Amino acid sequence: MIQIREEVRVRYAETDQMGFAYHGDYAPWFESARTSLLRAHGLPYRDLETQGFYLPVLELHVNYKKPARYDDVIVIVAVLREKPTLRVKIEYEVLRGEELLATGHTLHAFIDKTGRPVRPPATFAKRMTELFSEA
């Protein structure tokens, strides 16, 4: 398992009339944590794209438990629990201190520049093997 914790302060523009973080803003928070997770483990998105590989979102799920509010400092925890093969599933928790605000996951698959599904690049597969062997 590999994970990262990314801190975010809820901006005013991310809230609705009730002062709650808008539900659609969780997807960008997940994306930020996901890209940080890969970057922190030597697999920046930019490098994958330079090699001609893309990781589109196939599925996005969010379970909202309690609202985040303007100016809250929240932490998005992104976790890759299992070594990915053809698909990459990343799980998320959104926390305010110890309080769980939301959970979710995204599911991804590699495609090439033409949009055709492909196996992960060798560099990605090798790094995942290293990371999951260390655990």
Side-chain angles (χ1 to χ4, degrees):
M1 174 178 82
I2 61 171
Q3 71 175 6
I4 197 160
R5 298 172 66 87
E6 183 159 306
E7 190 174 283
V8 173
R9 183 176 296 273
V10 179
R11 299 176 304 172
Y12 187 79
E14 294 171 321
T15 62
D16 60 20
Q17 188 174 4
M18 297 177 288
F20 297 167
Y22 175 65
H23 70 274
D25 285 319
Y26 286 71
W29 295 341
F30 286 5
E31 178 183 351
S32 180
R34 179 173 63 250
T35 57
S36 293
L37 174 72
L38 292 177
R39 185 182 311 107
H41 291 92
L43 295 164
Y45 263 24
R46 183 170 302 281
D47 289 358
L48 293 171
E49 291 176 347
T50 300
Q51 297 171 38
F53 295 92
Y54 301 91
L55 265 175
V57 175
L58 302 177
E59 184 177 302
L60 167 67
H61 176 80
V62 185
N63 183 9
Y64 304 96
K65 298 181 180 297
K66 295 182 180 180
R69 299 177 186 273
Y70 167 66
D71 211 34
D72 280 352
V73 175
I74 59 174
V75 172
I76 296 88
V77 180
V79 180
L80 187 55
R81 293 193 188 284
E82 298 176 4
K83 178 183 164 190
T85 52
L86 295 177
R87 292 188 174 193
V88 180
K89 182 178 182 182
I90 301 182
E91 298 175 13
Y92 308 90
E93 288 184 341
V94 179
L95 304 162
R96 178 178 46 229
E98 297 299 317
E99 186 177 23
L100 182 63
L101 303 181
T103 60
H105 72 265
T106 53
L107 185 64
H108 309 263
F110 282 95
I111 61 171
D112 64 15
K113 289 182 180 183
T114 68
R116 190 174 55 94
V118 295
R119 293 197 172 280
T123 54
F124 182 89
K126 180 178 185 253
R127 184 64 182 133
M128 285 296 143
T129 296
E130 292 169 359
L131 289 168
F132 282 87
S133 293
E134 295 169 2

